[in-house]
Amino acid sequence: MKTEWKIFLTVGTFLLGVTILYAAWTYGEGGRVEWVGTVALLLSFLLCSMCGGFFWFVSRRIDLRPEDRADGEIADGAGEVGFFSPGSYWPFGLALAAAIAGLGLVYWQMWLLGAGLVAVIFAACGLLFEYYSGTRRTAEH
């Protein structure tokens, strides 16, 4: 996590400098600040700072990972990474539902936006609960 927070905060610092430069430049050229670009750059800075701050916060509370140590070996990171679904159709459904909701937002059709958002919730739940069968048994006999 050490590397991640340094990268995000470096990019965030760069974006803050570009935001100030952009605001000053547009004010000098036209006599007023161009707010759309300035706010977009400022929000990008805030997003990078938020991610960098989160990684910094987490990195203080966990042990160093093999990739964070100078003496780390590839074999130190071996082991189970996690479970990845071998084949699922839910990501396609989620993307389709998000596209429908996006089209509803683009064309300002509230019925299409509502249908898309309901489909997004349904697809996200399907993706989340794909491997839960509901037939869990306990050893409390």
Side-chain angles (χ1 to χ4, degrees):
M1 294 285 174
K2 204 171 175 183
T3 306
E4 288 90 347
W5 74 261
K6 288 179 181 177
I7 289 172
F8 273 103
L9 290 182
T10 301
V11 171
T13 304
F14 170 75
L15 285 170
L16 181 62
V18 168
T19 303
I20 294 168
L21 179 67
Y22 184 81
W25 196 316
T26 57
Y27 182 76
E29 288 288 320
R32 61 184 181 90
V33 175
E34 197 276 315
W35 287 108
V36 175
T38 305
V39 170
L41 286 167
L42 184 65
L43 290 176
S44 299
F45 155 71
L46 291 174
L47 181 63
C48 282
S49 298
M50 182 179 66
C51 293
F54 171 77
F55 285 134
W56 173 74
F57 184 75
V58 170
S59 72
R60 294 182 337 163
R61 286 168 171 65
I62 64 172
D63 294 331
L64 287 177
R65 300 176 303 167
E67 54 265 24
D68 292 333
R69 295 192 330 250
D71 64 339
E73 297 288 330
I74 293 175
D76 294 340
E80 184 177 333
V81 176
F83 174 74
F84 301 98
S85 180
S88 175
Y89 294 108
W90 284 111
F92 176 73
L94 187 60
L96 184 64
I100 290 171
L103 284 174
L105 193 60
V106 165
Y107 293 114
W108 206 244
Q109 298 294 317
M110 290 302 134
W111 65 272
L112 190 60
L113 177 62
L117 291 177
V118 168
V120 163
I121 292 171
F122 178 73
C125 289
L127 183 64
L128 180 66
F129 297 116
E130 182 174 12
Y131 289 100
Y132 290 96
S133 63
T135 58
R136 294 182 61 170
R137 295 184 185 200
T138 60
E140 299 176 6
H141 288 59

